[in-house]
Amino acid sequence: EPPDTPNDFSCQTQDMRIVTCTWSQGGDTYLYGRHSPKYTLSEEFSQKTVPCTVSCSEQCSCSWDIGQQRICNITVTVENPLGKKTATDVFDVTHRIYPAAPFQLWEQCTDTKITLYWKHRNKGIELFCQTEVIQPDGKVELHNSSDAQLHYASITLSGLQPYTEYTARVHCGAAKHFWRWSEWSEARTIRTKEASPSGKLDIWREITPVLGGRNVTLFWKQAPSFRANGRSISYEVTWEKVEDGSKPESISFSSVYNSTRISIDNHSYRISIMAKNNVNYSLPSVLIIPRATGNSRNTLFCSFVGTEELKEEQVNGTDDGIFISWEPRHIYDSYVIDWCNFPMLQPCDLQWKRFGPNTSSALINSAAFVPGVRYNFHVYGSVANTASLLEKKTGYLRELPTLLDPVVEKVELTFNAVTLSWDSYPTNKSQFGFVRGYHVYVSPIREDCSLKGSKKHVIPDGSVLCKYTIENPEEKRYTVKHLSSNTKYKLVVKAYTSGGETPIVNFIYIDTPFNSNMLYLLVLLVIVPSLAAAICHWKMKWVKECCCPVIPSPNKSKVLSFKEFKISSEKVLKISDCIPDMLAVDNKAEAQKL
């Protein structure tokens, strides 16, 4: 195939004497040996062939000395037996300057400035240079500078951090007729000099009352605004009484320490902590420990706060942390929340976080937080370096089912009800979640449950239980009603949290007694009447005489034992035979008859 036209043909110079032209070869001609493509360069203004040797690898190039010539018209010709193609580049040499890379970099520096120097080979050419600075966080900054020197150039980089490594490199281009940047110089890593630590340490404390005074555990960490600014750092802790101006006590620690414990009496104390490097100290961070006027978990209250016991409030966790809110008070200039990353361990890895005066809520998160662990938080208000406990919070990142289920300690049975008691069941911090209440499950042994007032609950084996819910965790007694007498039941009590409850495994079993009221009714309705009938049959004559006596005949009465006077067959008593006390006649008809 005939050769392709040379692509991307262009020429440039580093010193305005030696010109280098480059181009791309094009596609394969499938001709080899003496028939392969041949390249020649010619200068049209001088009508001369360019005296250079072409070399090709990824690109083809050719370099030669143009002497004092400034305007060039260069043509490259490629030909083989099947054809010929050309490409042309017309240029002013002063517009095609491609400087050599800067070399031999060195620097002078202070704690916040670096002056970087370098040399270049382009003598007599005014260059425009660019310095690339890589910050410690990986951010890249570019700084421009003009280079009017013959042998070296420089740039001053300011506003840097003390005792910090920066990486710099330089490239340059022609200042008057910019063509392209040179290659980068070698990168140079430079460290600024040390300076006094900047900012303050973030400090906190835990106060434990002891006999005759208090133990104060001090903690410190480097706040985001703090910089060590030096090779090595140490810490100095100083404490003194506020009232009497006694001589301060102090102690120093190496950089590996971040806490210490000091013992003080019940007076008010001023405690300060400073960081120190080879240059000087940082500004002091100060805490005021007030005079002992009350008691609490780990702080002593200021007089305007009060000493009443604070109630612990439950808070909720989320996927991102535990949400804490508090009531803001205008008297404080900041707030502090502290907590333990590992509340079951000693030391518990106390952590704290500071917030501004206009903040009243925070999402507390930590890589140490795990589900099922209860974390306690304390919210402090701080003013004039004095902190006072304001609120207590407690919560879980995520609640899990309870570790322990209630153990039924007392069972009271009747023929149709059972009362269960679990008074000693703990609802405190030993659980994997807040105990929200209880579920009582009941079922007859050989059949599904359907008691009045319950909800159905199906367990994995397919059995249907009756479910009762107690929503008060402090109510540890429950009566299940509407049971059948003389029946065997299985029961279980489960505590539940927001994370649910553990699977039902173990039941307790009860037998309801026989219904005695039914026995009494049977006695009253069957046995008593039967017994009465038997007695009546056995004493029939006596019963008959008691209940149905024989009416006596008047003729057998002693009243009629007088001299007989008969009217017809009836004996008649003459009035003259007795002297009555009183005589009453009921009606005139009878009187007439008599």
Side-chain angles (χ1 to χ4, degrees):
E1 294 183 5
D4 292 333
T5 300
N7 293 323
D8 304 321
F9 179 61
S10 67
C11 303
Q12 59 192 16
T13 180
Q14 287 189 338
D15 55 7
M16 295 193 299
R17 288 185 59 85
I18 304 300
V19 171
T20 300
C21 295
T22 57
W23 64 91
S24 299
Q25 296 184 69
D28 194 347
T29 63
Y30 303 103
L31 296 175
Y32 308 101
R34 60 190 182 89
H35 299 299
S36 61
K38 301 292 188 296
Y39 294 96
T40 57
L41 277 77
S42 60
E43 205 289 307
E44 296 299 324
F45 294 146
S46 61
Q47 296 294 313
K48 293 181 180 179
T49 301
V50 173
C52 71
T53 302
V54 176
S55 62
C56 294
S57 55
E58 293 182 1
Q59 272 194 329
C60 295
S61 66
C62 190
S63 300
W64 73 98
D65 189 341
I66 62 170
Q68 299 299 317
Q69 188 174 351
R70 289 294 173 263
I71 307 297
C72 297
N73 185 349
I74 307 297
T75 300
V76 59
T77 302
V78 55
E79 60 181 326
N80 66 13
L82 299 179
K84 176 171 68 172
K85 296 291 175 62
T86 61
T88 300
D89 186 18
V90 180
F91 59 92
D92 184 332
V93 174
T94 60
H95 294 191
R96 294 292 181 88
I97 297 175
Y98 172 60
F103 68 102
Q104 202 172 359
L105 276 67
W106 75 100
E107 76 282 338
Q108 292 179 343
C109 59
T110 65
D111 56 345
T112 59
K113 291 183 180 181
I114 294 175
T115 301
L116 184 64
Y117 301 88
W118 63 89
K119 292 183 177 180
H120 58 77
R121 296 182 175 86
N122 303 89
K123 298 179 180 179
I125 301 175
E126 185 178 352
L127 300 177
F128 174 78
C129 297
Q130 192 174 66
T131 303
E132 178 190 78
V133 180
I134 302 177
Q135 303 282 340
D137 60 2
K139 182 180 178 181
V140 176
E141 293 183 355
L142 296 175
H143 300 265
N144 298 327
S145 63
S146 297
D147 174 16
Q149 304 294 329
L150 295 177
H151 301 292
Y152 70 89
S154 67
I155 187 172
T156 298
L157 308 171
S158 58
L160 307 179
Q161 296 290 345
Y163 200 69
T164 302
E165 283 191 347
Y166 297 88
T167 300
R169 60 179 183 172
V170 184
H171 64 182
C172 301
K176 289 186 176 179
H177 304 286
F178 182 84
W179 167 244
R180 62 177 57 173
W181 292 111
S182 70
E183 295 296 324
W184 286 106
S185 68
E186 290 187 358
R188 186 167 181 83
T189 300
I190 307 162
R191 183 185 290 276
T192 53
K193 291 187 176 181
E194 294 185 66
S196 301
S198 57
K200 295 181 180 181
L201 295 171
D202 187 359
I203 65 174
W204 191 234
R205 83 292 180 275
E206 186 176 33
I207 305 172
T208 305
V210 294
L211 185 62
R214 295 159 290 175
N215 287 336
V216 180
T217 304
L218 299 169
F219 303 89
W220 59 87
K221 61 186 177 183
Q222 296 183 3
S225 60
F226 177 85
R227 292 189 58 84
N229 294 341
R231 180 182 297 104
S232 62
I233 195 168
S234 60
Y235 304 104
E236 185 170 298
V237 179
T238 303
W239 64 99
E240 60 183 331
K241 289 183 180 179
V242 173
E243 292 94 346
D244 59 9
S246 59
K247 183 179 179 181
E249 298 181 69
S250 64
I251 187 171
S252 296
F253 299 91
S254 69
S255 59
V256 298
Y257 291 91
N258 62 1
S259 67
T260 188
R261 175 179 291 179
I262 62 174
S263 296
I264 61 174
D265 56 30
N266 290 324
H267 290 88
S268 179
Y269 275 79
R270 180 184 186 273
I271 300 175
S272 67
I273 303 179
M274 294 184 293
K276 182 181 182 300
N277 61 15
N278 295 330
V279 177
N280 209 336
Y281 289 95
S282 70
L283 294 172
S285 298
V286 178
L287 279 175
I288 302 297
I289 308 298
R291 176 187 292 273
T293 57
N295 54 17
S296 68
R297 167 188 173 271
N298 66 348
T299 191
L300 298 166
F301 299 91
C302 294
S303 59
F304 53 79
V305 176
T307 59
E308 65 274 6
E309 185 66 24
L310 295 176
K311 185 178 179 181
E312 203 169 48
E313 179 187 347
Q314 293 183 7
V315 293
N316 298 321
T318 67
D319 292 338
D320 300 319
I322 299 175
F323 183 76
I324 307 293
S325 62
W326 61 91
E327 181 184 347
R329 282 86 161 175
H330 70 278
I331 60 174
Y332 298 111
D333 53 32
S334 66
Y335 297 95
V336 179
I337 298 178
D338 73 4
W339 71 93
C340 286
N341 269 343
F342 305 100
M344 298 302 175
L345 301 181
Q346 284 298 332
C348 69
D349 188 21
L350 183 73
Q351 302 291 314
W352 71 96
K353 194 170 183 180
R354 294 184 179 274
F355 302 92
N358 298 322
T359 305
S360 60
S361 64
L363 186 66
I364 304 298
N365 49 36
S366 168
F369 285 173
V370 293
V373 175
R374 187 169 178 173
Y375 298 96
N376 298 317
F377 301 88
H378 299 84
V379 181
Y380 298 83
S382 179
V383 60
N385 299 318
T386 303
S388 303
L389 181 61
L390 303 180
E391 298 179 23
K392 293 182 180 181
K393 313 286 183 178
T394 184
Y396 297 81
L397 181 68
R398 187 175 77 248
E399 294 185 45
L400 299 179
T402 56
L403 174 64
L404 301 171
D405 279 321
V407 175
V408 177
E409 301 159 350
K410 188 176 180 181
V411 178
E412 299 174 10
L413 273 173
T414 66
F415 70 90
N416 67 344
V418 59
T419 299
L420 307 174
S421 300
W422 54 95
D423 294 333
S424 64
Y425 181 69
T427 57
N428 56 18
K429 301 176 184 178
S430 63
Q431 300 289 4
F432 287 168
F434 295 120
V435 176
R436 310 286 181 175
Y438 308 95
H439 289 141
V440 178
Y441 298 96
V442 185
S443 178
I445 295 296
R446 293 184 176 85
E447 59 186 82
D448 292 340
C449 185
S450 59
L451 295 177
K452 181 180 178 182
S454 67
K455 293 183 178 180
K456 289 186 177 181
H457 179 79
V458 182
I459 58 178
D461 67 0
S463 301
V464 177
L465 308 179
C466 287
K467 177 181 176 181
Y468 300 90
T469 300
I470 305 169
E471 296 182 348
N472 180 6
E474 300 305 320
E475 186 178 335
K476 301 176 183 179
R477 180 182 176 92
Y478 191 75
T479 300
V480 181
K481 300 178 181 179
H482 309 295
L483 300 180
S484 299
S485 63
N486 197 26
T487 306
K488 196 176 187 67
Y489 286 91
K490 57 183 179 181
L491 306 95
V492 67
V493 179
K494 306 288 288 183
Y496 67 88
T497 70
S498 293
E501 63 187 32
T502 55
I504 298 174
V505 177
N506 298 317
F507 289 91
I508 61 172
Y509 296 88
I510 62 167
D511 288 291
T512 54
F514 187 80
N515 187 352
S516 59
N517 293 336
M518 294 296 295
L519 182 61
Y520 296 150
L521 187 61
L522 179 66
V523 169
L524 291 174
L525 297 180
V526 178
I527 296 178
V528 171
S530 299
L531 183 60
I535 292 173
C536 289
H537 181 74
W538 178 43
K539 295 287 186 176
M540 179 64 72
K541 185 177 180 181
W542 176 81
V543 170
K544 184 177 180 180
E545 289 179 353
C546 290
C547 297
C548 301
V550 177
I551 300 174
S553 172
N555 294 323
K556 293 181 179 181
S557 174
K558 290 180 179 182
V559 174
L560 299 178
S561 61
F562 48 82
K563 291 179 179 182
E564 293 185 359
F565 175 73
K566 293 185 178 179
I567 297 177
S568 295
S569 61
E570 299 292 330
K571 285 185 176 184
V572 178
L573 176 66
K574 292 181 179 180
I575 299 175
S576 60
D577 290 339
C578 63
I579 300 174
D581 291 331
M582 184 176 60
L583 180 65
V585 178
D586 288 337
N587 52 61
K588 292 180 177 181
E590 285 293 328
Q592 285 293 327
K593 184 178 179 181
L594 289 175

